[in-house]
Amino acid sequence: MAVIAPSLLSADFTRMGEEVREIESAGTQVLHIDIMDGHFVPNLTFGYSMVKALRPITGMVFDVHLMMTDPVNYIENFAKAGSDVITVHTECDSELDKCIDLIHKCGKKAGLSIKPKTSPEALFPYLDMIEHILVMTVEPGFGGQSMMTDCLDKISVIKAECTARGLNIPIMIDGGVNASNVRMAAKAGADMMVAGNAVFGASDRAAAFRELSELSQI
Ligand code: DX5
Ligand code: ZN
């Protein structure tokens, strides 16, 4: 069964605390938190004050996805705010080894993400340094888009390289996951899947989360 990580981006912003409590009581263990800087992607979301505000009300793993041009300047604050996993993009301007080192110095797990047009090989120089991989299955920037299913082929390429090196790094996919494609993504090897609209767009979030979790059983 893949781990389904609801994305806060699609939650009702007028009731964040209740949304977080509601999905946690449905059995969610990982909350995906999308941070956009209006430059790396053409959208803005929220900053570390949101992470800090939510931290005391939940025990869920905070999986923080930094869609930022220069994330290195923000890593310490996101760590201090209570992030558990901090993911930066291979396509950003910051030096990736510096970002990864800093995330580790802050005592957090480091993730690397690739956009749909980036080849999986872009991750290879860093595989020995990271604990999390995020394969985008939509162009980052907005929730509610359709999954680009050809991106799923990258999973087996990354897994083969990890296996050859004796590494076991969870691979998460992000974008357009829903009840009709979750099984295909699980079969492609996704260990974890972000689900924004498919969970928070449903009137019964708990039922939507459970359905996706069950369908991801292969
Ligand atoms: C997109 C974000 C995603 C987004 C996914 O840039 O990184 O995490 O919230 O939302 P859905 O599941 O609706 O595509
Ligand atoms: Zn994301």
Side-chain angles (χ1 to χ4, degrees):
M1 192 191 281
V3 171
I4 304 295
S7 167
L8 200 60
L9 181 60
S10 298
D12 178 348
F13 284 17
T14 65
R15 43 189 298 276
M16 283 301 203
E18 289 131 285
E19 291 277 58
V20 165
R21 289 192 180 98
E22 194 178 331
I23 47 154
E24 184 170 31
S25 58
T28 295
Q29 288 171 1
V30 179
L31 182 67
H32 186 79
I33 304 179
D34 287 304
I35 309 295
M36 303 185 188
D37 68 352
H39 189 266
F40 185 78
V41 289
N43 197 5
L44 289 161
T45 52
F46 25 70
Y48 31 79
S49 49
M50 177 64 79
V51 177
K52 193 174 171 193
L54 295 175
R55 186 64 288 176
I57 68 160
T58 171
M60 284 188 287
V61 169
F62 280 180
D63 170 39
V64 175
H65 177 193
L66 299 183
M67 284 162 274
M68 308 181 82
T69 298
D70 212 3
V72 74
N73 300 321
Y74 300 89
I75 286 169
E76 280 182 279
N77 278 330
F78 277 105
K80 277 189 206 140
S83 310
D84 297 296
V85 182
I86 300 178
T87 295
V88 299
H89 269 266
T90 57
E91 305 88 353
C92 76
D93 286 353
S94 302
E95 284 177 50
L96 295 180
D97 40 9
K98 270 197 190 153
C99 291
I100 295 166
D101 270 359
L102 186 54
I103 296 168
H104 287 156
K105 277 195 188 116
C106 294
K108 310 299 177 182
K109 289 186 178 168
L112 267 189
S113 181
I114 50 172
K115 297 203 287 183
K117 292 192 187 96
T118 303
S119 78
E121 286 79 9
L123 296 165
F124 290 3
Y126 308 97
L127 287 179
D128 297 289
M129 307 161 69
I130 58 175
E131 292 78 37
H132 185 76
I133 292 170
L134 183 65
V135 173
M136 294 304 303
T137 44
V138 294
E139 281 298 336
F142 300 91
Q145 303 181 73
S146 299
M147 182 190 283
M148 300 162 77
T149 51
D150 51 336
C151 294
L152 296 175
D153 298 340
K154 295 179 186 178
I155 299 172
S156 59
V157 178
I158 300 164
K159 285 227 158 150
E161 183 66 19
C162 287
T163 305
R165 297 198 205 178
L167 299 169
N168 188 13
I169 310 171
I171 301 179
M172 175 183 253
I173 60 161
D174 185 5
V177 171
N178 60 37
S180 351
N181 57 29
V182 66
R183 187 175 288 271
M184 174 177 50
K187 281 189 181 150
D191 304 298
M192 305 174 83
M193 304 186 206
V194 175
N197 204 47
V199 170
F200 288 108
S203 51
D204 186 341
R205 280 101 162 100
F209 169 77
R210 279 195 295 269
E211 185 190 18
L212 290 173
S213 300
E214 278 157 26
L215 288 169
S216 77
Q217 259 181 316
I218 47 163

Coordinates of all heavy atoms in Angstrom, one line a residue, residues 45-126:
T45 N 2.0 30.6 -2.1 CA 1.1 29.9 -1.1 C 1.3 30.5 0.3 O 0.9 31.6 0.5 CB 1.4 28.4 -1.1 OG1 2.8 28.1 -0.9 CG2 0.9 27.7 -2.4
F46 N 2.0 29.8 1.1 CA 2.2 30.3 2.5 C 3.7 30.1 2.9 O 4.5 29.4 2.2 CB 1.3 29.6 3.5 CG 0.9 28.2 3.0 CD1 1.8 27.2 3.0 CD2 -0.5 28.0 2.6 CE1 1.3 25.9 2.6 CE2 -0.9 26.7 2.2 CZ 0.0 25.7 2.2
G47 N 4.1 30.6 4.0 CA 5.5 30.5 4.5 C 5.6 29.7 5.7 O 4.7 28.9 6.1
Y48 N 6.8 29.8 6.4 CA 7.1 29.0 7.5 C 6.1 29.3 8.7 O 6.0 28.4 9.6 CB 8.5 28.9 8.0 CG 9.3 30.2 7.7 CD1 9.1 31.3 8.6 CD2 10.1 30.3 6.7 CE1 9.8 32.5 8.4 CE2 10.9 31.5 6.4 CZ 10.7 32.6 7.3 OH 11.4 33.7 7.1
S49 N 5.5 30.4 8.7 CA 4.6 30.7 9.8 C 3.4 29.8 9.8 O 2.8 29.4 10.9 CB 4.1 32.2 9.8 OG 3.7 32.5 8.5
M50 N 3.0 29.3 8.6 CA 1.9 28.3 8.5 C 2.4 27.0 9.1 O 1.7 26.3 9.9 CB 1.5 28.1 7.1 CG 0.4 27.1 6.9 SD -1.1 27.5 7.7 CE -1.8 28.7 6.5
V51 N 3.6 26.6 8.8 CA 4.1 25.3 9.3 C 4.2 25.4 10.8 O 3.8 24.5 11.6 CB 5.6 25.0 8.7 CG1 6.2 23.8 9.3 CG2 5.5 25.0 7.2
K52 N 4.7 26.5 11.3 CA 4.8 26.7 12.8 C 3.5 26.7 13.5 O 3.3 26.1 14.6 CB 5.5 28.1 13.0 CG 6.0 28.3 14.4 CD 6.8 29.6 14.5 CE 7.1 29.8 16.0 NZ 7.6 31.2 16.2
A53 N 2.5 27.3 12.9 CA 1.2 27.4 13.5 C 0.5 26.0 13.6 O -0.2 25.7 14.5 CB 0.3 28.3 12.7
L54 N 0.8 25.2 12.6 CA 0.1 23.9 12.5 C 0.9 22.8 13.4 O 0.3 21.8 13.8 CB 0.0 23.4 11.1 CG -1.0 24.2 10.2 CD1 -0.9 23.7 8.8 CD2 -2.4 24.1 10.7
R55 N 2.2 23.1 13.6 CA 3.0 22.1 14.2 C 2.5 21.5 15.6 O 2.4 20.3 15.8 CB 4.4 22.6 14.4 CG 5.5 21.6 14.9 CD 5.8 20.5 14.0 NE 4.8 19.4 13.9 CZ 4.9 18.4 13.1 NH1 5.9 18.2 12.3 NH2 3.9 17.5 13.1
P56 N 2.0 22.4 16.5 CA 1.5 21.9 17.8 C 0.3 21.1 17.7 O -0.1 20.4 18.7 CB 1.3 23.2 18.6 CG 1.9 24.3 17.8 CD 1.9 23.9 16.4
I57 N -0.5 21.2 16.6 CA -1.8 20.5 16.7 C -1.8 19.1 16.1 O -2.8 18.5 16.0 CB -2.9 21.4 16.0 CG1 -2.7 21.5 14.5 CG2 -3.0 22.8 16.7 CD1 -4.0 21.9 13.7
T58 N -0.7 18.7 15.6 CA -0.7 17.4 14.9 C 0.7 16.7 15.0 O 1.7 17.3 15.1 CB -1.0 17.5 13.4 OG1 -0.8 16.3 12.7 CG2 -0.2 18.6 12.7
G59 N 0.6 15.4 15.0 CA 1.8 14.6 15.0 C 2.2 14.1 13.6 O 3.2 13.3 13.5
M60 N 1.5 14.5 12.6 CA 1.8 14.0 11.3 C 3.2 14.5 10.8 O 3.6 15.6 11.2 CB 0.8 14.6 10.2 CG -0.6 13.9 10.3 SD -1.7 14.4 9.0 CE -2.1 16.0 9.5
V61 N 3.8 13.7 10.0 CA 5.1 14.1 9.4 C 4.8 15.3 8.4 O 3.9 15.2 7.6 CB 5.7 12.9 8.6 CG1 6.8 13.3 7.7 CG2 6.1 11.8 9.5
F62 N 5.5 16.3 8.6 CA 5.4 17.5 7.7 C 6.4 17.4 6.6 O 7.6 17.5 6.8 CB 5.6 18.8 8.5 CG 4.4 19.3 9.3 CD1 4.5 20.5 10.0 CD2 3.2 18.6 9.3 CE1 3.4 20.9 10.7 CE2 2.2 19.0 10.0 CZ 2.3 20.2 10.7
D63 N 5.9 17.1 5.4 CA 6.7 16.9 4.2 C 6.6 18.2 3.4 O 5.6 18.5 2.7 CB 6.0 15.7 3.4 CG 6.6 15.5 2.0 OD1 7.8 15.7 1.9 OD2 5.8 15.2 1.1
V64 N 7.6 19.0 3.5 CA 7.6 20.4 3.0 C 8.3 20.4 1.6 O 9.5 20.1 1.5 CB 8.2 21.3 4.0 CG1 8.3 22.7 3.4 CG2 7.4 21.3 5.3
H65 N 7.5 20.8 0.6 CA 8.0 20.9 -0.8 C 8.3 22.3 -1.2 O 7.3 23.1 -1.4 CB 6.8 20.3 -1.6 CG 7.1 20.3 -3.1 ND1 6.1 20.0 -4.0 CD2 8.2 20.5 -3.8 CE1 6.6 20.1 -5.2 NE2 7.8 20.4 -5.2
L66 N 9.5 22.6 -1.3 CA 9.9 24.0 -1.6 C 10.0 24.3 -3.1 O 11.0 23.8 -3.7 CB 11.3 24.3 -0.9 CG 11.3 24.2 0.6 CD1 12.7 24.7 1.1 CD2 10.2 25.1 1.3
M67 N 9.0 24.9 -3.6 CA 9.1 25.3 -5.0 C 9.6 26.7 -5.1 O 8.8 27.7 -5.2 CB 7.7 25.2 -5.7 CG 7.3 23.7 -5.9 SD 5.5 23.5 -6.2 CE 5.0 23.3 -4.5
M68 N 10.9 26.8 -4.9 CA 11.5 28.1 -4.7 C 12.8 28.2 -5.6 O 13.5 27.2 -5.7 CB 11.9 28.4 -3.2 CG 10.8 28.1 -2.3 SD 11.4 28.4 -0.6 CE 11.2 30.2 -0.5
T69 N 13.1 29.4 -6.1 CA 14.3 29.6 -6.9 C 15.5 29.5 -6.0 O 16.5 28.9 -6.5 CB 14.2 31.0 -7.6 OG1 13.1 31.0 -8.4 CG2 15.4 31.3 -8.4
D70 N 15.5 30.0 -4.8 CA 16.7 30.0 -4.0 C 16.4 29.5 -2.6 O 16.4 30.2 -1.6 CB 17.3 31.4 -3.9 CG 18.8 31.4 -3.8 OD1 19.4 30.3 -3.9 OD2 19.4 32.5 -3.7
P71 N 16.1 28.2 -2.5 CA 15.6 27.7 -1.2 C 16.6 27.7 -0.1 O 16.2 27.7 1.1 CB 15.2 26.2 -1.6 CG 16.0 25.9 -2.8 CD 16.1 27.2 -3.5
V72 N 17.9 27.8 -0.4 CA 18.9 27.7 0.6 C 18.7 28.7 1.8 O 19.0 28.5 2.9 CB 20.4 27.7 0.0 CG1 20.7 29.1 -0.4 CG2 21.4 27.1 1.0
N73 N 18.2 29.9 1.4 CA 18.0 31.0 2.4 C 16.8 30.7 3.3 O 16.7 31.5 4.3 CB 17.8 32.3 1.6 CG 18.9 32.7 0.7 OD1 20.1 32.5 1.1 ND2 18.7 33.2 -0.4
Y74 N 16.0 29.7 3.0 CA 14.8 29.5 3.8 C 14.8 28.2 4.6 O 13.9 28.0 5.4 CB 13.6 29.6 2.9 CG 13.5 30.9 2.2 CD1 14.1 31.2 1.0 CD2 12.8 32.0 2.8 CE1 14.1 32.4 0.3 CE2 12.7 33.2 2.1 CZ 13.4 33.4 0.9 OH 13.3 34.7 0.3
I75 N 15.8 27.4 4.3 CA 15.7 26.0 4.9 C 15.7 26.1 6.4 O 14.9 25.4 7.1 CB 16.9 25.2 4.3 CG1 16.6 24.8 2.9 CG2 17.2 24.0 5.2 CD1 17.8 24.2 2.1
E76 N 16.6 26.9 7.0 CA 16.7 26.9 8.5 C 15.4 27.3 9.1 O 15.0 26.7 10.1 CB 17.8 27.8 8.9 CG 19.2 27.2 8.8 CD 20.3 28.1 9.3 OE1 20.7 29.0 8.5 OE2 20.7 27.9 10.5
N77 N 14.7 28.3 8.5 CA 13.4 28.7 9.1 C 12.3 27.6 9.0 O 11.5 27.4 9.9 CB 13.0 30.0 8.5 CG 13.6 31.2 9.1 OD1 14.0 31.2 10.3 ND2 13.9 32.2 8.3
F78 N 12.4 26.9 7.8 CA 11.4 25.8 7.7 C 11.7 24.7 8.6 O 10.8 24.1 9.2 CB 11.3 25.4 6.2 CG 10.4 26.2 5.4 CD1 10.9 27.1 4.5 CD2 9.0 26.1 5.5 CE1 10.1 27.9 3.7 CE2 8.2 27.0 4.8 CZ 8.7 27.9 3.9
A79 N 13.0 24.5 8.9 CA 13.3 23.4 9.8 C 12.9 23.8 11.2 O 12.2 23.0 11.9 CB 14.8 23.2 9.8
K80 N 13.2 25.0 11.6 CA 12.8 25.5 13.0 C 11.3 25.5 13.2 O 10.8 25.3 14.3 CB 13.3 26.9 13.2 CG 14.8 27.0 13.6 CD 15.2 28.4 14.0 CE 16.6 28.6 13.9 NZ 17.0 29.9 13.3
A81 N 10.6 25.8 12.1 CA 9.1 25.8 12.2 C 8.5 24.4 12.4 O 7.3 24.4 12.8 CB 8.5 26.4 10.9
G82 N 9.3 23.4 12.2 CA 8.7 22.0 12.5 C 8.6 21.1 11.3 O 7.9 20.1 11.4
S83 N 9.3 21.4 10.2 CA 9.3 20.5 9.0 C 10.0 19.2 9.4 O 10.9 19.2 10.3 CB 10.0 21.1 7.8 OG 9.5 22.4 7.6
D84 N 9.6 18.1 8.8 CA 10.3 16.8 9.0 C 11.2 16.5 7.8 O 12.3 16.0 7.9 CB 9.3 15.7 9.4 CG 8.6 16.0 10.7 OD1 9.2 16.0 11.7 OD2 7.4 16.2 10.6
V85 N 10.5 16.6 6.6 CA 11.2 16.3 5.4 C 11.2 17.7 4.6 O 10.2 18.3 4.5 CB 10.5 15.3 4.5 CG1 11.2 15.0 3.3 CG2 10.2 14.0 5.3
I86 N 12.4 18.1 4.1 CA 12.4 19.3 3.3 C 13.0 18.9 1.9 O 14.0 18.4 1.8 CB 13.3 20.4 4.0 CG1 12.7 20.7 5.4 CG2 13.4 21.6 3.1 CD1 13.6 21.7 6.2
T87 N 12.1 19.2 0.9 CA 12.5 18.9 -0.5 C 12.7 20.1 -1.3 O 11.9 21.0 -1.3 CB 11.3 18.0 -1.1 OG1 11.2 16.8 -0.4 CG2 11.6 17.7 -2.5
V88 N 13.8 20.1 -2.0 CA 14.1 21.2 -2.9 C 14.2 20.6 -4.4 O 14.3 19.4 -4.5 CB 15.5 21.9 -2.6 CG1 15.4 22.5 -1.2 CG2 16.7 20.9 -2.7
H89 N 14.1 21.5 -5.3 CA 14.1 21.1 -6.7 C 15.5 21.0 -7.3 O 16.3 22.0 -7.1 CB 13.2 22.0 -7.6 CG 11.8 21.5 -7.6 ND1 11.3 20.7 -8.6 CD2 10.8 21.7 -6.7 CE1 10.0 20.5 -8.4 NE2 9.7 21.0 -7.3
T90 N 15.7 20.0 -8.2 CA 17.0 20.0 -8.9 C 17.2 21.2 -9.8 O 18.3 21.6 -10.1 CB 17.1 18.7 -9.8 OG1 16.0 18.7 -10.7 CG2 17.2 17.4 -8.9
E91 N 16.0 21.8 -10.2 CA 16.0 22.9 -11.2 C 16.2 24.3 -10.5 O 16.2 25.3 -11.2 CB 14.7 22.9 -12.0 CG 14.4 21.6 -12.7 CD 13.6 20.7 -11.8 OE1 13.4 21.0 -10.6 OE2 13.1 19.6 -12.3
C92 N 16.4 24.3 -9.2 CA 16.5 25.6 -8.5 C 17.9 26.2 -8.7 O 18.8 25.5 -9.2 CB 16.2 25.5 -7.0 SG 17.5 24.7 -6.0
D93 N 18.1 27.4 -8.2 CA 19.4 28.1 -8.4 C 20.4 27.8 -7.3 O 21.6 28.1 -7.4 CB 19.2 29.6 -8.5 CG 18.6 30.0 -9.9 OD1 18.5 29.1 -10.8 OD2 18.3 31.2 -10.0
S94 N 19.9 27.4 -6.1 CA 20.8 27.1 -5.0 C 21.6 25.9 -5.3 O 21.2 25.0 -6.1 CB 20.0 26.8 -3.7 OG 19.1 27.9 -3.4
E95 N 22.8 25.9 -4.7 CA 23.7 24.7 -4.9 C 23.0 23.5 -4.1 O 22.8 23.6 -2.9 CB 25.1 24.9 -4.3 CG 25.9 25.8 -5.3 CD 27.3 26.1 -4.7 OE1 28.0 25.2 -4.2 OE2 27.6 27.3 -4.6
L96 N 22.8 22.4 -4.8 CA 22.0 21.3 -4.2 C 22.8 20.7 -3.0 O 22.1 20.4 -2.0 CB 21.6 20.3 -5.2 CG 20.7 20.8 -6.3 CD1 20.4 19.7 -7.3 CD2 19.4 21.4 -5.7
D97 N 24.1 20.5 -3.2 CA 24.8 19.8 -2.0 C 24.7 20.7 -0.8 O 24.7 20.2 0.3 CB 26.2 19.3 -2.4 CG 26.9 20.3 -3.3 OD1 26.5 21.4 -3.5 OD2 28.0 19.9 -3.8
K98 N 24.8 22.1 -1.0 CA 24.7 23.0 0.2 C 23.3 22.8 0.8 O 23.2 22.8 2.0 CB 24.9 24.4 -0.3 CG 26.3 24.9 -0.3 CD 26.3 26.4 -0.3 CE 27.8 26.8 -0.5 NZ 27.9 28.1 -1.2
C99 N 22.3 22.8 0.0 CA 20.9 22.7 0.5 C 20.8 21.4 1.3 O 20.3 21.4 2.5 CB 19.9 22.6 -0.6 SG 19.6 24.1 -1.5
I100 N 21.3 20.3 0.7 CA 21.1 19.0 1.4 C 21.9 19.0 2.7 O 21.4 18.5 3.8 CB 21.6 17.8 0.4 CG1 20.7 17.8 -0.8 CG2 21.7 16.5 1.1 CD1 21.2 17.0 -2.0
D101 N 23.1 19.5 2.7 CA 23.9 19.6 3.9 C 23.2 20.4 5.0 O 23.2 20.0 6.2 CB 25.2 20.3 3.6 CG 26.3 19.4 3.2 OD1 26.1 18.2 3.2 OD2 27.4 19.9 2.9
L102 N 22.6 21.5 4.6 CA 22.0 22.4 5.6 C 20.7 21.7 6.2 O 20.5 21.7 7.4 CB 21.6 23.7 4.9 CG 21.0 24.8 5.7 CD1 21.9 25.1 6.9 CD2 20.8 26.0 4.9
I103 N 20.0 21.0 5.3 CA 18.8 20.3 5.8 C 19.2 19.2 6.8 O 18.7 19.1 7.9 CB 18.0 19.6 4.6 CG1 17.5 20.7 3.7 CG2 16.9 18.7 5.2 CD1 16.9 20.1 2.3
H104 N 20.3 18.5 6.5 CA 20.8 17.5 7.5 C 21.4 18.2 8.8 O 21.1 17.7 9.9 CB 21.9 16.7 6.8 CG 21.4 15.7 5.8 ND1 22.2 15.2 4.7 CD2 20.2 15.2 5.7 CE1 21.4 14.4 4.0 NE2 20.2 14.4 4.5
K105 N 22.1 19.3 8.6 CA 22.6 20.0 9.8 C 21.4 20.4 10.7 O 21.6 20.5 11.9 CB 23.4 21.2 9.4 CG 24.8 20.8 9.0 CD 25.7 22.1 9.0 CE 27.1 21.6 8.4 NZ 27.4 22.3 7.1
C106 N 20.3 20.7 10.1 CA 19.1 21.1 10.9 C 18.4 19.8 11.5 O 17.3 19.9 12.1 CB 18.1 21.8 10.0 SG 18.7 23.4 9.5
G107 N 18.9 18.6 11.2 CA 18.4 17.4 11.7 C 17.1 16.9 11.0 O 16.3 16.1 11.5
K108 N 17.0 17.3 9.7 CA 15.8 16.9 9.0 C 16.2 16.0 7.8 O 17.3 15.9 7.4 CB 15.1 18.2 8.4 CG 14.8 19.2 9.4 CD 13.9 18.7 10.6 CE 13.7 19.8 11.6 NZ 12.9 19.3 12.7
K109 N 15.2 15.4 7.2 CA 15.4 14.5 6.1 C 15.4 15.4 4.8 O 14.6 16.3 4.7 CB 14.3 13.5 5.9 CG 14.4 12.4 7.0 CD 13.4 11.3 6.8 CE 13.6 10.2 7.8 NZ 12.5 9.2 7.8
A110 N 16.3 15.1 3.9 CA 16.4 15.9 2.7 C 15.8 15.2 1.5 O 16.1 14.0 1.3 CB 17.9 16.2 2.4
G111 N 15.0 15.9 0.7 CA 14.4 15.4 -0.5 C 14.8 16.2 -1.7 O 15.1 17.4 -1.6
L112 N 14.8 15.5 -2.9 CA 15.1 16.2 -4.1 C 13.9 15.9 -5.1 O 13.4 14.8 -5.1 CB 16.3 15.7 -4.8 CG 17.6 16.4 -4.5 CD1 18.7 15.9 -5.4 CD2 17.5 17.9 -4.7
S113 N 13.5 16.9 -5.8 CA 12.4 16.8 -6.7 C 12.8 17.1 -8.2 O 13.6 17.9 -8.4 CB 11.2 17.7 -6.3 OG 10.1 17.6 -7.1
I114 N 12.1 16.4 -9.1 CA 12.3 16.8 -10.5 C 10.9 17.1 -11.2 O 9.9 16.5 -10.9 CB 13.0 15.6 -11.3 CG1 12.3 14.2 -11.0 CG2 14.4 15.5 -11.0 CD1 12.8 13.1 -11.9
K115 N 11.0 18.1 -12.0 CA 9.8 18.6 -12.7 C 9.6 17.6 -13.9 O 10.5 16.8 -14.3 CB 10.0 20.0 -13.3 CG 10.2 21.0 -12.2 CD 9.8 22.4 -12.6 CE 10.8 23.1 -13.5 NZ 10.4 24.4 -13.9
P116 N 8.4 17.6 -14.5 CA 8.1 16.7 -15.6 C 9.1 16.6 -16.7 O 9.4 15.6 -17.3 CB 6.7 17.1 -16.1 CG 6.1 17.8 -14.9 CD 7.2 18.5 -14.2
K117 N 9.7 17.8 -17.1 CA 10.7 17.8 -18.2 C 12.1 17.4 -17.8 O 13.0 17.3 -18.7 CB 10.6 19.1 -18.9 CG 9.3 19.4 -19.6 CD 9.4 20.6 -20.6 CE 8.1 21.0 -21.2 NZ 7.4 22.0 -20.4
T118 N 12.3 17.2 -16.5 CA 13.7 16.9 -16.1 C 13.9 15.4 -16.1 O 13.0 14.6 -15.6 CB 13.9 17.4 -14.6 OG1 13.6 18.9 -14.7 CG2 15.3 17.2 -14.1
S119 N 15.0 14.9 -16.5 CA 15.2 13.5 -16.6 C 15.6 12.9 -15.2 O 16.1 13.6 -14.4 CB 16.3 13.2 -17.6 OG 17.6 13.4 -17.0
P120 N 15.3 11.7 -15.0 CA 15.5 11.1 -13.7 C 17.0 11.1 -13.4 O 17.4 11.1 -12.2 CB 15.0 9.6 -13.8 CG 14.8 9.4 -15.3 CD 14.6 10.7 -15.9
E121 N 17.9 11.1 -14.4 CA 19.3 11.0 -14.2 C 19.8 12.3 -13.4 O 20.9 12.3 -12.8 CB 20.1 10.9 -15.5 CG 20.0 9.5 -16.1 CD 18.7 9.2 -16.9 OE1 17.9 10.2 -17.1 OE2 18.5 8.1 -17.3
A122 N 19.0 13.4 -13.5 CA 19.4 14.6 -12.7 C 19.5 14.3 -11.2 O 20.2 15.1 -10.5 CB 18.4 15.7 -13.0
L123 N 18.9 13.3 -10.8 CA 18.9 12.9 -9.3 C 20.2 12.1 -9.0 O 20.6 12.1 -7.8 CB 17.7 12.1 -8.9 CG 16.3 12.7 -9.1 CD1 15.2 11.7 -9.0 CD2 16.1 13.8 -8.0
F124 N 20.7 11.5 -9.9 CA 21.7 10.4 -9.7 C 23.0 11.0 -8.9 O 23.4 10.3 -8.0 CB 22.2 9.8 -11.0 CG 21.2 8.8 -11.6 CD1 19.9 8.7 -11.0 CD2 21.5 8.1 -12.7 CE1 18.9 7.9 -11.6 CE2 20.5 7.2 -13.3 CZ 19.2 7.1 -12.7
P125 N 23.5 12.2 -9.2 CA 24.7 12.6 -8.4 C 24.4 12.8 -6.9 O 25.3 12.9 -6.1 CB 25.0 14.0 -9.0 CG 24.3 14.0 -10.3 CD 23.1 13.1 -10.2
Y126 N 23.1 12.8 -6.5 CA 22.8 13.1 -5.1 C 22.1 12.0 -4.4 O 21.8 12.1 -3.2 CB 21.8 14.3 -5.1 CG 22.3 15.5 -5.9 CD1 21.9 15.7 -7.2 CD2 23.3 16.3 -5.3 CE1 22.5 16.8 -8.0 CE2 23.8 17.4 -6.1 CZ 23.4 17.6 -7.4 OH 23.9 18.6 -8.1

